[in-house]
mmCIF file of all heavy atoms in Angstrom:
data_model
loop_
_atom_site.group_PDB
_atom_site.id
_atom_site.type_symbol
_atom_site.label_atom_id
_atom_site.label_comp_id
_atom_site.label_asym_id
_atom_site.label_seq_id
_atom_site.Cartn_x
_atom_site.Cartn_y
_atom_site.Cartn_z
ATOM 1 N N CYS A 93 -18.293 29.314 9.308
ATOM 2 C CA CYS A 93 -18.708 28.810 7.997
ATOM 3 C C CYS A 93 -18.623 27.280 7.945
ATOM 4 O O CYS A 93 -19.567 26.593 7.532
ATOM 5 C CB CYS A 93 -17.826 29.472 6.945
ATOM 6 S SG CYS A 93 -17.839 28.679 5.362
ATOM 7 N N LEU A 94 -17.512 26.716 8.413
ATOM 8 C CA LEU A 94 -17.353 25.252 8.357
ATOM 9 C C LEU A 94 -18.360 24.541 9.258
ATOM 10 O O LEU A 94 -18.974 23.542 8.878
ATOM 11 C CB LEU A 94 -15.940 24.852 8.817
ATOM 12 C CG LEU A 94 -14.845 24.841 7.767
ATOM 13 C CD1 LEU A 94 -13.555 24.321 8.391
ATOM 14 C CD2 LEU A 94 -15.221 23.955 6.579
ATOM 15 N N LEU A 95 -18.523 25.073 10.467
ATOM 16 C CA LEU A 95 -19.426 24.414 11.408
ATOM 17 C C LEU A 95 -20.876 24.514 10.922
ATOM 18 O O LEU A 95 -21.640 23.558 11.029
ATOM 19 C CB LEU A 95 -19.270 25.038 12.797
ATOM 20 C CG LEU A 95 -19.844 24.195 13.941
ATOM 21 C CD1 LEU A 95 -19.180 22.829 13.989
ATOM 22 C CD2 LEU A 95 -19.671 24.887 15.271
ATOM 23 N N ASN A 96 -21.211 25.662 10.343
ATOM 24 C CA ASN A 96 -22.540 25.846 9.776
ATOM 25 C C ASN A 96 -22.867 24.781 8.731
ATOM 26 O O ASN A 96 -23.936 24.186 8.747
ATOM 27 C CB ASN A 96 -22.628 27.224 9.111
ATOM 28 C CG ASN A 96 -23.707 28.062 9.765
ATOM 29 O OD1 ASN A 96 -24.637 27.509 10.380
ATOM 30 N ND2 ASN A 96 -23.602 29.368 9.646
ATOM 31 N N GLU A 97 -21.920 24.545 7.819
ATOM 32 C CA GLU A 97 -22.102 23.518 6.790
ATOM 33 C C GLU A 97 -22.421 22.177 7.430
ATOM 34 O O GLU A 97 -23.229 21.403 6.938
ATOM 35 C CB GLU A 97 -20.784 23.324 6.003
ATOM 36 C CG GLU A 97 -20.617 24.199 4.793
ATOM 37 C CD GLU A 97 -19.223 24.012 4.163
ATOM 38 O OE1 GLU A 97 -18.709 22.878 4.157
ATOM 39 O OE2 GLU A 97 -18.656 25.025 3.716
ATOM 40 N N LYS A 98 -21.754 21.922 8.544
ATOM 41 C CA LYS A 98 -21.852 20.613 9.174
ATOM 42 C C LYS A 98 -23.164 20.450 9.960
ATOM 43 O O LYS A 98 -23.735 19.372 9.972
ATOM 44 C CB LYS A 98 -20.643 20.464 10.113
ATOM 45 C CG LYS A 98 -20.417 19.083 10.624
ATOM 46 C CD LYS A 98 -19.647 18.234 9.630
ATOM 47 C CE LYS A 98 -19.526 16.821 10.171
ATOM 48 N NZ LYS A 98 -19.090 15.880 9.155
ATOM 49 N N VAL A 99 -23.604 21.537 10.633
ATOM 50 C CA VAL A 99 -24.766 21.362 11.529
ATOM 51 C C VAL A 99 -26.109 21.597 10.828
ATOM 52 O O VAL A 99 -27.153 21.262 11.387
ATOM 53 C CB VAL A 99 -24.726 22.279 12.787
ATOM 54 C CG1 VAL A 99 -23.490 21.994 13.607
ATOM 55 C CG2 VAL A 99 -24.810 23.753 12.415
ATOM 56 N N LYS A 100 -26.070 22.140 9.606
ATOM 57 C CA LYS A 100 -27.355 22.540 9.029
ATOM 58 C C LYS A 100 -28.299 21.354 8.790
ATOM 59 O O LYS A 100 -29.500 21.510 8.792
ATOM 60 C CB LYS A 100 -27.169 23.393 7.770
ATOM 61 C CG LYS A 100 -26.580 22.709 6.575
ATOM 62 C CD LYS A 100 -26.524 23.711 5.405
ATOM 63 C CE LYS A 100 -26.148 23.086 4.101
ATOM 64 N NZ LYS A 100 -24.837 22.519 3.971
ATOM 65 N N ASP A 101 -27.727 20.140 8.628
ATOM 66 C CA ASP A 101 -28.595 18.973 8.415
ATOM 67 C C ASP A 101 -28.929 18.226 9.714
ATOM 68 O O ASP A 101 -29.593 17.208 9.690
ATOM 69 C CB ASP A 101 -27.915 17.992 7.449
ATOM 70 C CG ASP A 101 -27.497 18.678 6.172
ATOM 71 O OD1 ASP A 101 -28.229 19.574 5.712
ATOM 72 O OD2 ASP A 101 -26.419 18.335 5.642
ATOM 73 N N GLU A 102 -28.399 18.711 10.839
ATOM 74 C CA GLU A 102 -28.617 17.987 12.099
ATOM 75 C C GLU A 102 -29.887 18.478 12.793
ATOM 76 O O GLU A 102 -30.213 19.652 12.742
ATOM 77 C CB GLU A 102 -27.438 18.224 13.055
ATOM 78 C CG GLU A 102 -26.089 17.850 12.490
ATOM 79 C CD GLU A 102 -25.759 16.393 12.703
ATOM 80 O OE1 GLU A 102 -26.432 15.742 13.537
ATOM 81 O OE2 GLU A 102 -24.828 15.899 12.024
ATOM 82 N N ASN A 103 -30.564 17.544 13.459
ATOM 83 C CA ASN A 103 -31.673 17.947 14.335
ATOM 84 C C ASN A 103 -31.158 17.964 15.759
ATOM 85 O O ASN A 103 -30.350 17.136 16.128
ATOM 86 C CB ASN A 103 -32.823 16.941 14.247
ATOM 87 C CG ASN A 103 -33.389 16.901 12.841
ATOM 88 O OD1 ASN A 103 -33.574 17.940 12.226
ATOM 89 N ND2 ASN A 103 -33.644 15.701 12.340
ATOM 90 N N GLY A 104 -31.647 18.906 16.551
ATOM 91 C CA GLY A 104 -31.264 18.935 17.960
ATOM 92 C C GLY A 104 -29.920 19.601 18.166
ATOM 93 O O GLY A 104 -29.311 20.137 17.250
ATOM 94 N N ILE A 105 -29.493 19.552 19.424
ATOM 95 C CA ILE A 105 -28.274 20.252 19.825
ATOM 96 C C ILE A 105 -27.031 19.525 19.318
ATOM 97 O O ILE A 105 -26.945 18.300 19.392
ATOM 98 C CB ILE A 105 -28.203 20.326 21.374
ATOM 99 C CG1 ILE A 105 -29.402 21.126 21.939
ATOM 100 C CG2 ILE A 105 -26.892 20.913 21.852
ATOM 101 C CD1 ILE A 105 -29.281 22.617 21.773
ATOM 102 N N VAL A 106 -26.093 20.292 18.786
ATOM 103 C CA VAL A 106 -24.815 19.722 18.355
ATOM 104 C C VAL A 106 -23.723 20.247 19.285
ATOM 105 O O VAL A 106 -23.634 21.446 19.525
ATOM 106 C CB VAL A 106 -24.513 20.141 16.900
ATOM 107 C CG1 VAL A 106 -23.095 19.745 16.515
ATOM 108 C CG2 VAL A 106 -25.522 19.520 15.942
ATOM 109 N N THR A 107 -22.906 19.332 19.827
ATOM 110 C CA THR A 107 -21.840 19.783 20.729
ATOM 111 C C THR A 107 -20.522 19.884 19.964
ATOM 112 O O THR A 107 -20.272 19.121 19.044
ATOM 113 C CB THR A 107 -21.674 18.819 21.917
ATOM 114 O OG1 THR A 107 -21.340 17.528 21.414
ATOM 115 C CG2 THR A 107 -22.941 18.749 22.738
ATOM 116 N N PHE A 108 -19.700 20.852 20.378
ATOM 117 C CA PHE A 108 -18.429 21.046 19.674
ATOM 118 C C PHE A 108 -17.341 21.482 20.636
ATOM 119 O O PHE A 108 -17.590 21.870 21.776
ATOM 120 C CB PHE A 108 -18.593 22.089 18.547
ATOM 121 C CG PHE A 108 -18.692 23.506 19.051
ATOM 122 C CD1 PHE A 108 -17.565 24.328 19.060
ATOM 123 C CD2 PHE A 108 -19.892 24.029 19.528
ATOM 124 C CE1 PHE A 108 -17.641 25.638 19.544
ATOM 125 C CE2 PHE A 108 -19.972 25.329 20.014
ATOM 126 C CZ PHE A 108 -18.844 26.137 20.016
ATOM 127 N N LYS A 109 -16.114 21.391 20.122
ATOM 128 C CA LYS A 109 -14.964 21.873 20.878
ATOM 129 C C LYS A 109 -13.991 22.500 19.897
ATOM 130 O O LYS A 109 -13.823 21.982 18.790
ATOM 131 C CB LYS A 109 -14.287 20.693 21.585
ATOM 132 C CG LYS A 109 -13.015 21.035 22.308
ATOM 133 C CD LYS A 109 -12.326 19.789 22.857
ATOM 134 C CE LYS A 109 -11.007 20.214 23.510
ATOM 135 N NZ LYS A 109 -10.235 19.051 23.929
ATOM 136 N N VAL A 110 -13.373 23.604 20.263
ATOM 137 C CA VAL A 110 -12.366 24.219 19.389
ATOM 138 C C VAL A 110 -10.983 23.823 19.900
ATOM 139 O O VAL A 110 -10.711 23.896 21.101
ATOM 140 C CB VAL A 110 -12.505 25.757 19.369
ATOM 141 C CG1 VAL A 110 -11.462 26.371 18.438
ATOM 142 C CG2 VAL A 110 -13.908 26.161 18.941
ATOM 143 N N ASN A 111 -10.129 23.340 18.991
ATOM 144 C CA ASN A 111 -8.768 22.912 19.345
ATOM 145 C C ASN A 111 -7.781 23.736 18.529
ATOM 146 O O ASN A 111 -7.803 23.692 17.307
ATOM 147 C CB ASN A 111 -8.545 21.444 18.964
ATOM 148 C CG ASN A 111 -9.648 20.538 19.488
ATOM 149 O OD1 ASN A 111 -9.538 19.975 20.556
ATOM 150 N ND2 ASN A 111 -10.732 20.426 18.721
ATOM 151 N N THR A 112 -6.922 24.469 19.203
ATOM 152 C CA THR A 112 -5.989 25.319 18.459
ATOM 153 C C THR A 112 -4.553 24.853 18.657
ATOM 154 O O THR A 112 -4.176 24.489 19.774
ATOM 155 C CB THR A 112 -6.109 26.786 18.932
ATOM 156 O OG1 THR A 112 -7.482 27.173 18.836
ATOM 157 C CG2 THR A 112 -5.248 27.719 18.108
ATOM 158 N N THR A 113 -3.775 24.814 17.597
ATOM 159 C CA THR A 113 -2.329 24.648 17.738
ATOM 160 C C THR A 113 -1.674 25.829 17.051
ATOM 161 O O THR A 113 -2.171 26.331 16.035
ATOM 162 C CB THR A 113 -1.809 23.350 17.086
ATOM 163 O OG1 THR A 113 -2.245 23.314 15.742
ATOM 164 C CG2 THR A 113 -2.290 22.114 17.819
ATOM 165 N N ARG A 114 -0.556 26.254 17.607
ATOM 166 C CA ARG A 114 0.050 27.484 17.150
ATOM 167 C C ARG A 114 1.523 27.183 16.894
ATOM 168 O O ARG A 114 2.299 27.059 17.834
ATOM 169 C CB ARG A 114 -0.107 28.475 18.316
ATOM 170 C CG ARG A 114 0.077 29.903 18.036
ATOM 171 C CD ARG A 114 -0.161 30.684 19.336
ATOM 172 N NE ARG A 114 0.552 30.072 20.469
ATOM 173 C CZ ARG A 114 1.329 30.743 21.311
ATOM 174 N NH1 ARG A 114 1.491 32.028 21.203
ATOM 175 N NH2 ARG A 114 1.943 30.122 22.305
ATOM 176 N N SER A 115 1.921 26.984 15.617
ATOM 177 C CA SER A 115 3.353 26.759 15.363
ATOM 178 C C SER A 115 4.082 28.082 15.435
ATOM 179 O O SER A 115 5.264 28.137 15.711
ATOM 180 C CB SER A 115 3.610 26.153 13.990
ATOM 181 O OG SER A 115 2.539 25.376 13.572
ATOM 182 N N ASP A 116 3.358 29.174 15.153
ATOM 183 C CA ASP A 116 3.989 30.488 15.199
ATOM 184 C C ASP A 116 3.850 31.046 16.616
ATOM 185 O O ASP A 116 2.840 31.637 16.982
ATOM 186 C CB ASP A 116 3.304 31.416 14.184
ATOM 187 C CG ASP A 116 3.992 32.772 14.141
ATOM 188 O OD1 ASP A 116 4.917 32.990 14.957
ATOM 189 O OD2 ASP A 116 3.605 33.598 13.301
ATOM 190 N N LYS A 117 4.898 30.867 17.425
ATOM 191 C CA LYS A 117 4.803 31.242 18.840
ATOM 192 C C LYS A 117 4.837 32.760 19.057
ATOM 193 O O LYS A 117 4.667 33.228 20.172
ATOM 194 C CB LYS A 117 5.926 30.577 19.655
ATOM 195 C CG LYS A 117 5.908 29.047 19.593
ATOM 196 C CD LYS A 117 4.658 28.453 20.262
ATOM 197 C CE LYS A 117 4.641 26.929 20.135
ATOM 198 N NZ LYS A 117 3.305 26.344 20.212
ATOM 199 N N ARG A 118 5.074 33.508 17.965
ATOM 200 C CA ARG A 118 5.032 34.969 18.120
ATOM 201 C C ARG A 118 3.599 35.498 18.063
ATOM 202 O O ARG A 118 3.349 36.667 18.282
ATOM 203 C CB ARG A 118 5.860 35.642 17.012
ATOM 204 C CG ARG A 118 7.356 35.396 17.147
ATOM 205 C CD ARG A 118 8.034 35.702 15.835
ATOM 206 N NE ARG A 118 7.327 35.019 14.744
ATOM 207 C CZ ARG A 118 7.630 35.155 13.453
ATOM 208 N NH1 ARG A 118 8.582 35.963 13.075
ATOM 209 N NH2 ARG A 118 6.947 34.496 12.536
ATOM 210 N N TYR A 119 2.678 34.605 17.753
ATOM 211 C CA TYR A 119 1.279 35.041 17.658
ATOM 212 C C TYR A 119 0.831 35.621 18.997
ATOM 213 O O TYR A 119 1.115 35.037 20.051
ATOM 214 C CB TYR A 119 0.410 33.838 17.273
ATOM 215 C CG TYR A 119 -0.944 34.247 16.746
ATOM 216 C CD1 TYR A 119 -1.080 34.768 15.474
ATOM 217 C CD2 TYR A 119 -2.085 34.101 17.544
ATOM 218 C CE1 TYR A 119 -2.315 35.155 14.996
ATOM 219 C CE2 TYR A 119 -3.325 34.484 17.079
ATOM 220 C CZ TYR A 119 -3.438 35.013 15.795
ATOM 221 O OH TYR A 119 -4.659 35.390 15.328
ATOM 222 N N PRO A 120 0.143 36.755 18.995
ATOM 223 C CA PRO A 120 -0.117 37.471 20.253
ATOM 224 C C PRO A 120 -0.997 36.728 21.264
ATOM 225 O O PRO A 120 -0.972 37.059 22.443
ATOM 226 C CB PRO A 120 -0.791 38.769 19.797
ATOM 227 C CG PRO A 120 -1.228 38.533 18.392
ATOM 228 C CD PRO A 120 -0.286 37.531 17.817
ATOM 229 N N LEU A 121 -1.781 35.755 20.826
ATOM 230 C CA LEU A 121 -2.626 35.040 21.794
ATOM 231 C C LEU A 121 -2.144 33.609 21.935
ATOM 232 O O LEU A 121 -1.656 33.014 20.978
ATOM 233 C CB LEU A 121 -4.076 35.010 21.298
ATOM 234 C CG LEU A 121 -4.768 36.361 21.118
ATOM 235 C CD1 LEU A 121 -6.130 36.173 20.462
ATOM 236 C CD2 LEU A 121 -4.920 37.057 22.471
ATOM 237 N N ILE A 122 -2.306 33.028 23.134
ATOM 238 C CA ILE A 122 -1.937 31.623 23.289
ATOM 239 C C ILE A 122 -3.122 30.754 22.851
ATOM 240 O O ILE A 122 -4.270 31.213 22.772
ATOM 241 C CB ILE A 122 -1.503 31.285 24.744
ATOM 242 C CG1 ILE A 122 -2.618 31.621 25.729
ATOM 243 C CG2 ILE A 122 -0.216 32.008 25.100
ATOM 244 C CD1 ILE A 122 -2.387 31.054 27.110
ATOM 245 N N SER A 123 -2.835 29.473 22.588
ATOM 246 C CA SER A 123 -3.833 28.596 21.968
ATOM 247 C C SER A 123 -5.169 28.532 22.707
ATOM 248 O O SER A 123 -6.229 28.673 22.078
ATOM 249 C CB SER A 123 -3.264 27.187 21.812
ATOM 250 O OG SER A 123 -2.088 27.251 21.058
ATOM 251 N N PRO A 124 -5.178 28.309 24.042
ATOM 252 C CA PRO A 124 -6.476 28.209 24.729
ATOM 253 C C PRO A 124 -7.314 29.477 24.596
ATOM 254 O O PRO A 124 -8.542 29.410 24.489
ATOM 255 C CB PRO A 124 -6.103 27.967 26.194
ATOM 256 C CG PRO A 124 -4.681 27.552 26.191
ATOM 257 C CD PRO A 124 -4.050 28.111 24.957
ATOM 258 N N GLU A 125 -6.634 30.635 24.560
ATOM 259 C CA GLU A 125 -7.380 31.898 24.393
ATOM 260 C C GLU A 125 -8.053 31.961 23.025
ATOM 261 O O GLU A 125 -9.206 32.380 22.899
ATOM 262 C CB GLU A 125 -6.418 33.093 24.507
ATOM 263 C CG GLU A 125 -6.189 33.558 25.921
ATOM 264 C CD GLU A 125 -5.202 34.731 25.927
ATOM 265 O OE1 GLU A 125 -4.011 34.493 25.635
ATOM 266 O OE2 GLU A 125 -5.635 35.860 26.190
ATOM 267 N N ILE A 126 -7.298 31.543 22.021
ATOM 268 C CA ILE A 126 -7.861 31.562 20.663
ATOM 269 C C ILE A 126 -9.090 30.644 20.622
ATOM 270 O O ILE A 126 -10.147 31.016 20.115
ATOM 271 C CB ILE A 126 -6.813 31.100 19.617
ATOM 272 C CG1 ILE A 126 -5.569 32.006 19.690
ATOM 273 C CG2 ILE A 126 -7.410 31.105 18.205
ATOM 274 C CD1 ILE A 126 -4.370 31.478 18.938
ATOM 275 N N SER A 127 -8.946 29.446 21.193
ATOM 276 C CA SER A 127 -10.060 28.495 21.197
ATOM 277 C C SER A 127 -11.283 29.095 21.880
ATOM 278 O O SER A 127 -12.422 28.951 21.419
ATOM 279 C CB SER A 127 -9.676 27.198 21.936
ATOM 280 O OG SER A 127 -8.610 26.561 21.276
ATOM 281 N N ARG A 128 -11.023 29.789 22.977
ATOM 282 C CA ARG A 128 -12.140 30.344 23.749
ATOM 283 C C ARG A 128 -12.861 31.459 22.963
ATOM 284 O O ARG A 128 -14.084 31.476 22.868
ATOM 285 C CB ARG A 128 -11.614 30.895 25.087
ATOM 286 C CG ARG A 128 -12.677 31.145 26.141
ATOM 287 C CD ARG A 128 -12.091 31.394 27.537
ATOM 288 N NE ARG A 128 -10.827 32.128 27.516
ATOM 289 C CZ ARG A 128 -10.699 33.428 27.262
ATOM 290 N NH1 ARG A 128 -11.761 34.162 26.993
ATOM 291 N NH2 ARG A 128 -9.508 33.996 27.274
ATOM 292 N N ILE A 129 -12.057 32.321 22.350
ATOM 293 C CA ILE A 129 -12.650 33.438 21.597
ATOM 294 C C ILE A 129 -13.441 32.921 20.384
ATOM 295 O O ILE A 129 -14.567 33.354 20.115
ATOM 296 C CB ILE A 129 -11.541 34.412 21.132
ATOM 297 C CG1 ILE A 129 -10.908 35.076 22.361
ATOM 298 C CG2 ILE A 129 -12.098 35.462 20.166
ATOM 299 C CD1 ILE A 129 -9.617 35.835 22.068
ATOM 300 N N VAL A 130 -12.864 31.958 19.673
ATOM 301 C CA VAL A 130 -13.565 31.425 18.494
ATOM 302 C C VAL A 130 -14.815 30.659 18.931
ATOM 303 O O VAL A 130 -15.877 30.766 18.313
ATOM 304 C CB VAL A 130 -12.624 30.542 17.645
ATOM 305 C CG1 VAL A 130 -13.380 29.874 16.507
ATOM 306 C CG2 VAL A 130 -11.453 31.368 17.103
ATOM 307 N N GLY A 131 -14.687 29.904 20.039
ATOM 308 C CA GLY A 131 -15.846 29.173 20.573
ATOM 309 C C GLY A 131 -16.989 30.122 20.878
ATOM 310 O O GLY A 131 -18.153 29.860 20.519
ATOM 311 N N ALA A 132 -16.665 31.268 21.513
ATOM 312 C CA ALA A 132 -17.699 32.253 21.857
ATOM 313 C C ALA A 132 -18.358 32.809 20.595
ATOM 314 O O ALA A 132 -19.590 32.967 20.527
ATOM 315 C CB ALA A 132 -17.078 33.388 22.673
ATOM 316 N N ALA A 133 -17.552 33.070 19.562
ATOM 317 C CA ALA A 133 -18.098 33.596 18.302
ATOM 318 C C ALA A 133 -19.041 32.579 17.662
ATOM 319 O O ALA A 133 -20.081 32.942 17.109
ATOM 320 C CB ALA A 133 -16.952 33.946 17.346
ATOM 321 N N ILE A 134 -18.689 31.313 17.760
ATOM 322 C CA ILE A 134 -19.561 30.263 17.196
ATOM 323 C C ILE A 134 -20.898 30.245 17.934
ATOM 324 O O ILE A 134 -21.980 30.233 17.327
ATOM 325 C CB ILE A 134 -18.865 28.878 17.274
ATOM 326 C CG1 ILE A 134 -17.692 28.813 16.285
ATOM 327 C CG2 ILE A 134 -19.862 27.740 17.000
ATOM 328 C CD1 ILE A 134 -16.815 27.583 16.410
ATOM 329 N N LEU A 135 -20.828 30.324 19.268
ATOM 330 C CA LEU A 135 -22.065 30.296 20.062
ATOM 331 C C LEU A 135 -22.968 31.494 19.727
ATOM 332 O O LEU A 135 -24.188 31.374 19.696
ATOM 333 C CB LEU A 135 -21.734 30.300 21.560
ATOM 334 C CG LEU A 135 -21.097 29.006 22.092
ATOM 335 C CD1 LEU A 135 -20.596 29.208 23.525
ATOM 336 C CD2 LEU A 135 -22.078 27.836 22.023
ATOM 337 N N ASP A 136 -22.330 32.642 19.450
ATOM 338 C CA ASP A 136 -23.105 33.837 19.102
ATOM 339 C C ASP A 136 -23.783 33.739 17.739
ATOM 340 O O ASP A 136 -24.759 34.425 17.474
ATOM 341 C CB ASP A 136 -22.174 35.077 19.043
ATOM 342 C CG ASP A 136 -21.833 35.559 20.443
ATOM 343 O OD1 ASP A 136 -22.506 35.098 21.395
ATOM 344 O OD2 ASP A 136 -20.869 36.343 20.578
ATOM 345 N N ASN A 137 -23.220 32.948 16.852
ATOM 346 C CA ASN A 137 -23.662 32.983 15.445
ATOM 347 C C ASN A 137 -24.415 31.759 14.962
ATOM 348 O O ASN A 137 -25.011 31.790 13.890
ATOM 349 C CB ASN A 137 -22.456 33.211 14.534
ATOM 350 C CG ASN A 137 -21.999 34.661 14.579
ATOM 351 O OD1 ASN A 137 -22.547 35.510 13.895
ATOM 352 N ND2 ASN A 137 -21.028 34.937 15.443
ATOM 353 N N ILE A 138 -24.315 30.649 15.692
ATOM 354 C CA ILE A 138 -25.015 29.449 15.225
ATOM 355 C C ILE A 138 -25.981 28.974 16.315
ATOM 356 O O ILE A 138 -25.602 28.894 17.488
ATOM 357 C CB ILE A 138 -24.014 28.313 14.875
ATOM 358 C CG1 ILE A 138 -22.954 28.800 13.872
ATOM 359 C CG2 ILE A 138 -24.745 27.101 14.292
ATOM 360 C CD1 ILE A 138 -21.906 27.761 13.486
ATOM 361 N N ASN A 139 -27.191 28.674 15.885
ATOM 362 C CA ASN A 139 -28.180 28.176 16.854
ATOM 363 C C ASN A 139 -27.964 26.690 17.118
ATOM 364 O O ASN A 139 -27.397 25.981 16.302
ATOM 365 C CB ASN A 139 -29.595 28.351 16.303
ATOM 366 C CG ASN A 139 -29.918 29.821 16.136
ATOM 367 O OD1 ASN A 139 -29.434 30.663 16.909
ATOM 368 N ND2 ASN A 139 -30.706 30.133 15.106
ATOM 369 N N ASN A 140 -28.466 26.241 18.228
ATOM 370 C CA ASN A 140 -28.460 24.809 18.539
ATOM 371 C C ASN A 140 -27.070 24.183 18.648
ATOM 372 O O ASN A 140 -26.879 23.024 18.317
ATOM 373 C CB ASN A 140 -29.259 24.016 17.497
ATOM 374 C CG ASN A 140 -30.723 24.382 17.530
ATOM 375 O OD1 ASN A 140 -31.239 24.783 18.594
ATOM 376 N ND2 ASN A 140 -31.391 24.269 16.401
ATOM 377 N N VAL A 141 -26.091 24.971 19.061
ATOM 378 C CA VAL A 141 -24.790 24.362 19.341
ATOM 379 C C VAL A 141 -24.399 24.632 20.787
ATOM 380 O O VAL A 141 -24.845 25.604 21.400
ATOM 381 C CB VAL A 141 -23.670 24.882 18.396
ATOM 382 C CG1 VAL A 141 -23.893 24.423 16.975
ATOM 383 C CG2 VAL A 141 -23.524 26.389 18.483
ATOM 384 N N LYS A 142 -23.569 23.736 21.319
ATOM 385 C CA LYS A 142 -23.176 23.836 22.717
ATOM 386 C C LYS A 142 -21.743 23.319 22.851
ATOM 387 O O LYS A 142 -21.353 22.399 22.117
ATOM 388 C CB LYS A 142 -24.116 22.935 23.541
ATOM 389 C CG LYS A 142 -24.311 23.346 24.974
ATOM 390 C CD LYS A 142 -25.316 22.435 25.673
ATOM 391 C CE LYS A 142 -24.568 21.421 26.490
ATOM 392 N NZ LYS A 142 -25.397 20.372 27.051
ATOM 393 N N VAL A 143 -20.983 23.917 23.762
ATOM 394 C CA VAL A 143 -19.600 23.452 23.935
ATOM 395 C C VAL A 143 -19.577 22.185 24.784
ATOM 396 O O VAL A 143 -20.314 22.058 25.758
ATOM 397 C CB VAL A 143 -18.744 24.555 24.612
ATOM 398 C CG1 VAL A 143 -17.357 24.022 24.943
ATOM 399 C CG2 VAL A 143 -18.654 25.783 23.721
#
Side-chain angles (χ1 to χ4, degrees):
C93 163
L94 273 184
L95 197 59
N96 241 337
E97 270 175 37
K98 192 83 183 166
V99 300
K100 67 178 189 295
D101 307 324
E102 304 274 344
N103 297 317
I105 298 284
V106 171
T107 60
F108 74 98
K109 175 186 177 186
V110 181
N111 309 267
T112 306
T113 54
R114 196 179 47 130
S115 331
D116 184 355
K117 301 294 178 205
R118 291 162 310 176
Y119 197 75
L121 298 173
I122 58 168
S123 303
E125 274 179 290
I126 302 167
S127 298
R128 196 167 35 74
I129 294 168
V130 174
I134 290 172
L135 290 170
D136 283 347
N137 284 277
I138 306 179
N139 295 328
N140 295 332
V141 292
K142 207 177 100 189
V143 173

